[in-house]
Amino acid sequence: MLILFLPLFLIVLLIGMPVFFATLFAPGFMLLWEGMDRDLPLLFRNIYNGIDSFPLMAIPFFMLAGELMNRGGITFRLVDFSQAFIGHVRGGLAHVNIMSSMLFAGLSGSAVADTSAIGSMMIPAMEKNGYKRKFAAAITAASSVIGPIIPPSGIMIIYAYTMEVSVASLFAAGIVPGVLMGLSLMVITAIMAKRYDFPKAGHKYSWPERAGATKKAILPLLTPVIILGGILGGIFTPTEASAVAVAYALILSVWVFKSVKLTDLPQVFVRSAMGSAVVLLLVGSAMAFKTVVSLSQSAQMLAEWMLTLSDNAYILLFLINIMLFIVGMFLDAGPAIIILGPILAPIFTSIGVDPVHFAMIMSVNLTVGLATPPMGLVLFVASSVSGERVESIAKAILPFLAAEIAVILLITFVPEISLTVPRLLGLMPWPA
Amino acid sequence: MNALLLPLKALMYVNTAIARVGKSLAWVCVTLMVSSILFQVVMRYVFNNAQPWPEEVARAFMIWMMALVAAAAYREGSFVAIEMLHDFLPRVASALLKLALYIAALIILYYLFTMGLEFFQRGFRTRAASFNLQLAWVYLAMPVCFGTMILVNIELLLIEAGNLLFRDFNDRLGIKPKHGRAQLAME
């Protein structure tokens, strides 16, 4: 019974085996058990082929570009820009925090980078302005999950590659959900601002002042235009766009803003190499895992079982949302996608859910999981940036999580939210 | 305790040296990856003359980049795991479980290493599609990756075993308790 590798996999994962080893241990052990030793080199071959990939190269490159931008002092330019436009309303700095996260999301594809960059700037500023520190930390964590939803996005590159969907359509599909996520947080902030009488962040900027802030932020703000324009316009492949983003970030941080020294570069490069080495190994092991998923026909068996629960796609999607949300509480988005994608995606595409739509449901749901207690990674990062305890941030974040869950449900049940932009850009066909 | 401490210290010294060499080569790999893709972009869009080799070269450098720093990343604890259970288990049970997990990881890495070596040897029969090099020299990255990870895995295993046997083991080794999850993510 090769299919027993799935429960075995769950057990070793839950007792603390690192995901990379667990995705190889369970299938490898079951192959040996079943006397299918000859298939072991096939696992190895798939790890290698999984890593030896041109599309995956975008991951180290986007990581590097984001890191360079962050060190290059662009965060304060983005914050300044947001402040100039929405700082004067009630709850101004909270809105500035959210808007900066959305802008930052267009440069980086990682929620952790977003939390540490914006948090270390905004949390002290908000505290000084009269906000409670746990509230400032909570809103930083809640808004940072927009990072991997608005393109570019590391997890969407991983998803596209392991599930054979186009990166360009996933990037295009993420724009509206990401903006919706930000707007929903702003609505909650506005309601709370009225009820709890949040402070304003200062005077209303005049238009010349706004023009000044825009001028300072315009070069970093052009990054998403170059990346997305290039990819969605069909000029660059995502990998080429990510290399161009590295070059652009280098030029900005080393020569234009002069905030990174050439001698700092090796260290920055090594950090992104180490971060992506872990991701590459995970993707490789996921490709091996995927082979055994199809050898064992477990996706078909799970699909049959799920269809006995209900044959209504909406009910199944709702159930899967709950499951993903729980998984997201314990596991980071990248590994969760790598493990669950190959099992779940075929089931849902077979009952007529669009693959790009399902990719959005999974990515958004699992990214929000980054900000949910008890294991949400960005909660821990927000805690160490702010010095506030994880438990108190976890309580303060609840109203924002409620808003994000509402957006998840909206994205799940209204496919057009995700699919309209890729269709308009001609990346996907319109439904007949 | 010394019978455990001395070989472990030697191993830690070796692993630190490997990590240092790996890191100083990895950033060169990253630089060459970025350069060859940018070169291709310029050739394609400016000179309308795309070359056959940059993508394959960049892929080879990416595999080596990964292989050179994977062990260091493993050593610094960046391999994601669900460690919740360990917070609830008594100290000894948790340490025993961790030992078992390290042994399992060691077996997996051993398999990967030997298969990687076979893969390397077979690579002498094939050449890269776009440049004149036997693919074995790219494939070599895999046994290097898993071999260095084996050394790190043994180090982690011995540290865990030492801590189980002797209370003051970490002090004698001169290592501080592990970083939190968030600190690791932010480094």
Side-chain angles (χ1 to χ4, degrees), chain A residues 7-320:
Chain A
L8 179 64
F9 169 71
L10 272 182
I11 292 168
V12 291
L13 198 63
L14 287 176
I15 61 172
M17 185 180 272
V19 180
F20 169 71
F21 294 118
T23 41
L24 295 174
F25 176 79
F29 183 83
M30 284 319 289
L31 283 178
L32 284 178
W33 185 263
E34 296 285 311
M36 298 163 79
D37 311 27
R38 273 177 309 151
D39 286 323
L40 280 182
L42 180 71
L43 283 191
F44 184 86
R45 188 83 234 180
N46 281 318
I47 300 176
Y48 182 85
N49 289 345
I51 296 168
D52 183 20
S53 135
F54 187 64
L56 271 190
M57 210 179 291
I59 291 176
F61 288 176
F62 277 132
M63 266 191 195
L64 185 54
E67 187 130 349
L68 282 170
M69 286 274 180
N70 190 12
R71 295 207 180 199
I74 57 119
T75 320
F76 88 92
R77 288 165 202 269
L78 297 183
V79 170
D80 238 26
F81 174 79
S82 312
Q83 165 89 21
F85 284 87
I86 51 170
H88 60 280
V89 303
R90 189 158 293 286
L93 281 188
H95 288 294
V96 169
N97 191 328
I98 299 167
M99 183 169 161
S100 308
S101 285
M102 289 164 73
L103 297 175
F104 200 79
L107 311 175
S108 93
S110 134
V112 170
D114 194 334
T115 312
S116 60
I118 291 178
S120 49
M121 236 192 110
M122 288 303 295
I123 296 172
M126 286 177 75
E127 217 181 341
K128 217 160 145 197
N129 196 228
Y131 292 86
K132 284 203 179 104
R133 199 199 294 168
K134 61 181 179 188
F135 174 83
I139 196 149
T140 308
S143 64
S144 71
V145 302
I146 301 169
I149 302 174
I150 291 184
S153 156
I155 58 167
M156 288 193 196
I157 296 170
I158 296 175
Y159 190 101
Y161 179 60
T162 46
M163 256 69 78
E164 291 158 29
V165 197
S166 110
V167 178
S169 24
L170 288 195
F171 276 13
I175 298 173
V176 179
V179 172
L180 263 185
M181 208 54 119
L183 290 179
S184 75
L185 295 179
M186 284 182 164
V187 169
I188 297 288
T189 306
I191 296 170
M192 291 173 85
K194 220 170 178 183
R195 178 174 301 172
Y196 301 112
D197 202 22
F198 283 171
K200 294 179 183 176
H203 70 292
K204 189 170 179 172
Y205 279 55
S206 66
W207 282 104
E209 283 175 304
R210 286 179 180 171
T214 310
K215 207 175 145 196
K216 270 205 235 155
I218 191 77
L219 286 176
L221 283 177
L222 275 177
T223 324
V225 178
I226 298 171
I227 299 175
L228 289 185
I231 299 175
L232 302 181
I235 305 170
F236 299 136
T237 63
T239 307
E240 288 171 343
S242 65
V244 171
V246 171
Y248 188 65
L250 263 180
I251 293 171
L252 284 193
S253 56
V254 178
W255 287 286
V256 180
F257 301 147
K258 295 192 171 52
S259 40
V260 174
K261 277 183 284 192
L262 273 176
T263 45
D264 295 338
L265 289 182
Q267 199 206 343
V268 181
F269 279 35
V270 165
R271 287 253 55 102
S272 80
M274 285 178 68
S276 32
V278 178
V279 177
L280 288 172
L281 280 174
L282 266 179
V283 173
S285 66
M287 293 315 247
F289 187 75
K290 212 177 126 183
T291 333
V292 183
V293 169
S294 57
L295 268 182
S296 67
Q297 302 187 321
S298 36
Q300 289 91 317
M301 290 170 80
L302 266 179
E304 274 166 33
W305 175 75
M306 285 191 72
L307 289 174
T308 60
L309 293 179
S310 164
D311 51 4
N312 183 325
Y314 290 106
I315 294 177
L316 287 178
L317 279 175
F318 183 71
L319 292 176
I320 221 64

Side-chain angles (χ1 to χ4, degrees), chain A residues 19 52 235 240 271 375, chain B residues 44-45 59 80 181 187:
Chain A
V19 180
D52 183 20
I235 305 170
E240 288 171 343
R271 287 253 55 102
M375 294 288 285
Chain B
R44 178 175 300 159
Y45 299 107
R59 279 195 342 247
V80 195
R181 214 163 119 77
E187 259 173 19

Side-chain angles (χ1 to χ4, degrees), chain A residues 12-22 24-25 32 40-45 47-49 51-54 56-57 60-61 64 67 112 116 234-237 239-241 243-244 246-247 250 265-267 269-278 280-282 330-332 335 374-377 380-382 384-385, chain B residues 23-24 26-28 30-31 33-35 37-38 40-41 44-45 54-56 58-60 62-63 65-67 69-70 72-74 76 78-87 97 100-101 104-106 108-109 111-113 115-119 122 135 138-139 142-143 145-146 149 153 181-187:
Chain A
V12 291
L13 198 63
L14 287 176
I15 61 172
M17 185 180 272
V19 180
F20 169 71
F21 294 118
L24 295 174
F25 176 79
L32 284 178
L40 280 182
L42 180 71
L43 283 191
F44 184 86
R45 188 83 234 180
I47 300 176
Y48 182 85
N49 289 345
I51 296 168
D52 183 20
S53 135
F54 187 64
L56 271 190
M57 210 179 291
F61 288 176
L64 185 54
E67 187 130 349
V112 170
S116 60
I235 305 170
F236 299 136
T237 63
T239 307
E240 288 171 343
V244 171
V246 171
L250 263 180
L265 289 182
Q267 199 206 343
F269 279 35
V270 165
R271 287 253 55 102
S272 80
M274 285 178 68
S276 32
V278 178
L280 288 172
L281 280 174
L282 266 179
F330 297 96
L331 207 58
D332 293 346
M375 294 288 285
L377 187 55
F380 286 84
V381 177
S384 79
V385 170
Chain B
K23 285 180 186 178
S24 53
W27 79 266
V28 180
V30 177
T31 312
M33 273 160 74
V34 179
S35 317
I37 300 299
L38 287 176
Q40 177 74 323
V41 169
R44 178 175 300 159
Y45 299 107
E55 291 170 10
E56 200 180 3
R59 279 195 342 247
M62 178 168 74
I63 290 167
M65 168 204 87
M66 177 202 79
V69 292
Y74 185 34
E76 291 174 23
S78 356
F79 276 56
V80 195
I82 303 178
E83 283 166 345
M84 285 254 291
L85 182 64
H86 294 269
D87 300 338
L97 181 57
L101 290 173
L106 192 59
I108 298 166
L109 286 170
Y111 266 101
L112 290 170
F113 177 68
M115 286 191 280
L117 278 182
E118 277 170 40
F119 195 52
R122 263 182 285 141
L135 275 182
V138 184
Y139 294 168
M142 299 306 271
C145 176
F146 298 125
M149 280 175 74
N153 197 89
R181 214 163 119 77
Q183 273 169 306
L184 275 175
M186 291 199 348
E187 259 173 19

Side-chain angles (χ1 to χ4, degrees), chain B residues 119-139:
Chain B
F119 195 52
F120 163 63
Q121 280 153 359
R122 263 182 285 141
F124 283 105
R125 282 181 245 150
T126 24
R127 286 181 173 274
S130 64
F131 50 89
N132 187 17
L133 185 78
Q134 282 155 325
L135 275 182
W137 302 114
V138 184
Y139 294 168

Side-chain angles (χ1 to χ4, degrees), chain B:
Chain B
M1 189 193 299
N2 277 336
L4 188 56
L5 263 180
L6 292 177
L8 178 54
K9 274 191 174 162
L11 181 61
M12 287 170 82
Y13 181 80
V14 172
N15 280 337
T16 308
I18 292 175
R20 192 175 301 140
V21 173
K23 285 180 186 178
S24 53
L25 291 173
W27 79 266
V28 180
C29 290
V30 177
T31 312
L32 293 171
M33 273 160 74
V34 179
S35 317
S36 52
I37 300 299
L38 287 176
F39 175 80
Q40 177 74 323
V41 169
V42 171
M43 287 310 280
R44 178 175 300 159
Y45 299 107
V46 181
F47 298 103
N48 206 6
N49 178 21
Q51 299 293 308
W53 55 266
E55 291 170 10
E56 200 180 3
V57 168
R59 279 195 342 247
F61 281 124
M62 178 168 74
I63 290 167
W64 269 104
M65 168 204 87
M66 177 202 79
L68 288 165
V69 292
Y74 185 34
R75 198 175 186 216
E76 291 174 23
S78 356
F79 276 56
V80 195
I82 303 178
E83 283 166 345
M84 285 254 291
L85 182 64
H86 294 269
D87 300 338
F88 298 107
L89 286 176
R91 194 185 76 93
V92 175
S94 159
L96 285 173
L97 181 57
K98 275 188 187 156
L99 276 181
L101 290 173
Y102 280 129
I103 291 168
L106 192 59
I107 297 170
I108 298 166
L109 286 170
Y110 170 76
Y111 266 101
L112 290 170
F113 177 68
T114 49
M115 286 191 280
L117 278 182
E118 277 170 40
F119 195 52
F120 163 63
Q121 280 153 359
R122 263 182 285 141
F124 283 105
R125 282 181 245 150
T126 24
R127 286 181 173 274
S130 64
F131 50 89
N132 187 17
L133 185 78
Q134 282 155 325
L135 275 182
W137 302 114
V138 184
Y139 294 168
L140 180 62
M142 299 306 271
V144 168
C145 176
F146 298 125
T148 49
M149 280 175 74
I150 286 179
L151 293 180
V152 166
N153 197 89
I154 296 174
E155 174 186 324
L156 298 173
L157 194 151
L158 291 180
I159 292 177
E160 198 61 51
N163 273 310
L164 181 64
L165 295 173
F166 312 103
R167 283 229 167 230
D168 58 341
F169 195 74
N170 269 349
D171 299 334
R172 292 283 302 271
L173 258 187
I175 53 174
K176 286 171 232 133
K178 269 187 191 164
H179 297 276
R181 214 163 119 77
Q183 273 169 306
L184 275 175
M186 291 199 348
E187 259 173 19

